[in-house]
């Protein structure tokens, strides 16, 4: 999960309920390696008060039963940081994915 931290003015990156686990660092590494416009992504989650939810595939650091050839992040959803659950429409998620050159889940 990737969001914005107003206290540090930086991305807030977490996995498995932790901001400092090996999984969180793995996500950060993959995100920074694959997204060329990190500043733009930070601005997007900040301005839209949202959290981006990813599937992170890293065949070296976290192998799965299914073999993958290379690390990859896939955008699953974008959820607004509000008390009442609300997420971005799929078509908009696809636009955001294109903007940041991300793979996105298929419906």
């Amino acid at each position: 999960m990737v969001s914005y931290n107003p206290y540090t003015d930086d991305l807030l990156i977490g996995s498995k309920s932790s901001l400092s686990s090996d999984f969180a660092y793995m996500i950060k590494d993959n995100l920074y390696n694959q997204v060329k416009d990190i500043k733009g992504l930070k601005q997007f989650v900040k301005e839209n008060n949202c959290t981006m939810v990813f599937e992170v595939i890293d065949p070296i650091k976290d192998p799965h039963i299914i073999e993958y050839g290379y690390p990859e992040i896939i955008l699953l959803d974008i959820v607004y940081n509000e008390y009442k659950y609300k997420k971005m429409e799929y078509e908009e998620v696809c636009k955001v994915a294109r903007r940041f050159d991300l793979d996105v889940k298929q419906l």
Side-chain angles (χ1 to χ4, degrees), residues 17-70:
S17 73
S18 174
L19 302 175
S20 59
S21 69
D22 289 343
F23 288 107
Y25 293 123
M26 181 179 65
I27 291 168
K28 183 175 184 176
D29 288 344
N30 282 287
L31 186 74
Y32 277 75
N33 285 332
Q34 294 180 46
V35 175
K36 294 174 183 31
D37 186 11
I38 287 291
K39 288 182 182 181
L41 189 126
K42 179 182 89 168
Q43 195 63 31
F44 173 82
V45 293
K46 177 182 178 180
E47 289 176 359
N48 290 280
N49 190 32
C50 65
T51 298
M52 300 173 88
V53 181
F54 292 95
E55 174 69 27
V56 178
I57 299 168
D58 192 321
I60 307 292
K61 297 176 186 167
D62 185 30
H64 289 88
I65 294 171
I66 300 171
E67 289 189 32
Y68 294 96
Y70 53 90

Side-chain angles (χ1 to χ4, degrees), residues 90-106:
Y90 180 72
E91 294 78 22
E92 291 300 312
V93 172
C94 290
K95 287 180 187 177
V96 172
R98 284 191 297 275
R99 175 178 170 190
F100 295 107
D101 197 26
L102 295 166
D103 289 330
V104 65
K105 72 173 179 184
Q106 294 180 359

